[in-house]
Amino acid sequence: MTEPSPRGLPVRVRRHTDGIAMDDLFRSSSAPATTTVTSTSNAATAGHPLVGAGAPPRRHPPADAGLVERPGPAAPGWLAVLTGTAALGTAAVLLWRARPPRGAHLLPWEWVAPAGLGAIAVVCLGGLTRGRTGSAWVLSLFGRYRGSVRRTGLVWISPFVLRRRVDVRLRHWRSEPIAAVDAEGSALRVVVLVVWSVRDTARALYAVDDHLGYLREQVEAATARVLSQLPADAFQGGAPTLRNAEAVGDALTRLLAAECRPVGVAVFSAQPTRIEYAPEVAAAMHRRRLAVLDARHRESVLTGVIDAVDDTVTRLTSRGLVELDDFERQALVKDLTVAFCTRRGGLPRPDEE
């Protein structure tokens, strides 16, 4: 005579987002128990969605094809110094040889050569300037772009053109707290660190009124657009959030680079250094985060207790140590659950912080 196989532990758990109901824990059922486990680590390591994916393409500012940086007219400074010095020396020699007798004056045509040599010396010496490392001269004549000079050291540039110095070094700018909202409408304060440089000096000066102001405005606009695509925190499940600073920074960098390229500004990195809730909603979000953590802790404790009770009852019945009917099984499950909960410190109550 064979012994009938024991039934599985009849336990059903109703899961709630704000807590775990205990009234269904000891309810019997003929259906076998099933356990559903949700893993948040896989969702956290999954690929971050592209910010703005599926949205219609946006038109970026047009770039003037004719306004492109090109080398400007310039010469080595030492050549201008030699030429000016030679012109001055030659003019002095001509005046010394053509000096008139006492009481006489030089004829007008005798002043032409010294005056011309003097003008050449003035142009050569007056166009001398210093080229600095990390800066460039932008030249214009009567409002027309004539080229850019990136030479360093002593450089000669025509004194008849207008010169404007532009900083082309790698620079970084840390923004003030920028007001934004996430995908759920929660107010945020974001600080962004931007690493950039002037790539095209002609467009940086003539394609926009102020390229620094343009960059700052674009940082605010791009930050507001990127942060509005995802929530700041995933209170339910492991969905992508703005806490993934690397993915958010990549999306922000791509957007800023496309917006600033037509004005000659190259954006290499735009990373949010701090993303936090605005003061008016920070306290409420903090309480919400604590409530979610408490619910997750309660669920993990209850899952462990149920697994321990199931394993204990299954071993007792499968080995023939006890024979239980439905009423005795429910009583044993209840006693074991209370014992295991007491050993684990008990489930926290919803009103406990």
Side-chain angles (χ1 to χ4, degrees):
M1 182 175 180
T2 59
E3 181 181 359
S5 59
R7 293 179 300 172
L9 180 63
V11 177
R12 293 192 307 171
V13 178
R14 182 179 300 172
R15 300 179 183 273
H16 298 269
T17 58
D18 56 349
I20 301 173
M22 298 292 294
D23 55 340
D24 292 342
L25 179 61
F26 309 108
R27 183 176 299 176
S28 62
S29 174
S30 59
T34 58
T35 304
T36 303
V37 179
T38 303
S39 175
T40 59
S41 60
N42 295 333
T45 57
H48 200 280
L50 293 177
V51 179
R58 297 176 65 253
R59 294 184 59 186
H60 298 292
D64 188 358
L67 187 60
V68 181
E69 179 180 336
R70 60 178 182 272
W78 62 267
L79 183 60
V81 172
L82 291 179
T83 303
T85 304
L88 287 178
T90 304
V93 171
L94 291 178
L95 289 177
W96 182 78
R97 288 186 177 182
R99 66 182 185 278
R102 184 170 300 179
H105 299 281
L106 293 177
L107 298 176
W109 61 271
E110 294 178 344
W111 288 97
V112 174
L117 292 173
I120 293 175
V122 170
V123 171
C124 291
L125 299 179
L128 292 176
T129 186
R130 183 181 61 176
R132 300 176 182 175
T133 302
S135 64
W137 288 107
V138 180
L139 312 180
S140 62
L141 182 62
F142 300 113
R144 183 179 180 182
Y145 174 65
R146 302 299 298 174
S148 301
V149 179
R150 291 179 178 259
R151 292 172 176 262
T152 58
L154 190 61
V155 184
W156 180 84
I157 300 175
S158 175
F160 301 105
V161 298
L162 178 63
R163 294 176 284 186
R164 297 177 62 182
R165 189 184 292 275
V166 178
D167 192 348
V168 296
R169 294 174 296 179
L170 188 66
R171 305 170 64 182
H172 69 278
W173 175 67
R174 184 184 180 93
S175 69
E176 296 294 331
I178 300 174
V181 294
D182 64 355
E184 297 181 349
S186 301
L188 303 175
R189 292 293 184 271
V190 188
V191 177
V192 181
L193 179 64
V194 183
V195 179
W196 63 282
S197 68
V198 174
R199 181 65 59 86
D200 192 309
T201 57
R203 291 181 177 178
L205 280 185
Y206 300 110
V208 68
D209 184 30
D210 181 14
H211 62 277
L212 289 176
Y214 180 86
L215 176 64
R216 291 170 181 154
E217 297 295 335
Q218 289 298 329
V219 168
E220 295 185 6
T223 301
R225 182 188 176 195
V226 170
L227 267 64
S228 64
Q229 305 296 324
L230 293 174
D233 291 293
F235 296 103
Q236 303 297 335
T241 65
L242 297 177
R243 301 303 177 185
N244 191 343
E246 183 177 359
V248 175
D250 291 342
L252 187 59
T253 301
R254 289 195 301 268
L255 183 59
L256 272 179
E259 295 289 343
C260 296
R261 189 177 299 111
V263 298
V265 175
V267 178
F268 301 100
S269 173
Q271 294 291 331
T273 59
R274 187 172 73 248
I275 300 178
E276 59 186 13
Y277 289 103
E280 57 270 18
V281 299
M285 290 301 173
H286 180 66
R287 290 193 298 268
R288 184 179 180 185
R289 186 182 295 108
L290 291 180
V292 171
L293 293 177
D294 179 73
R296 291 178 181 175
H297 174 67
R298 288 160 52 85
E299 183 176 359
S300 64
V301 171
L302 182 57
T303 302
V305 170
I306 293 175
D307 292 340
V309 172
D310 187 9
D311 183 67
T312 302
V313 175
T314 302
R315 288 187 178 185
L316 290 175
T317 55
S318 63
R319 296 181 181 181
L321 299 179
V322 294
E323 293 183 2
L324 304 173
D325 56 10
D326 292 342
F327 179 78
E328 293 174 343
R329 183 186 297 274
Q330 291 182 8
L332 178 60
V333 168
K334 183 175 181 180
D335 294 338
L336 290 176
T337 303
V338 173
F340 287 148
C341 288
T342 304
R343 186 185 62 180
R344 294 172 178 261
L347 293 176
R349 295 180 301 174
D351 57 349
E352 292 180 352
E353 296 184 356

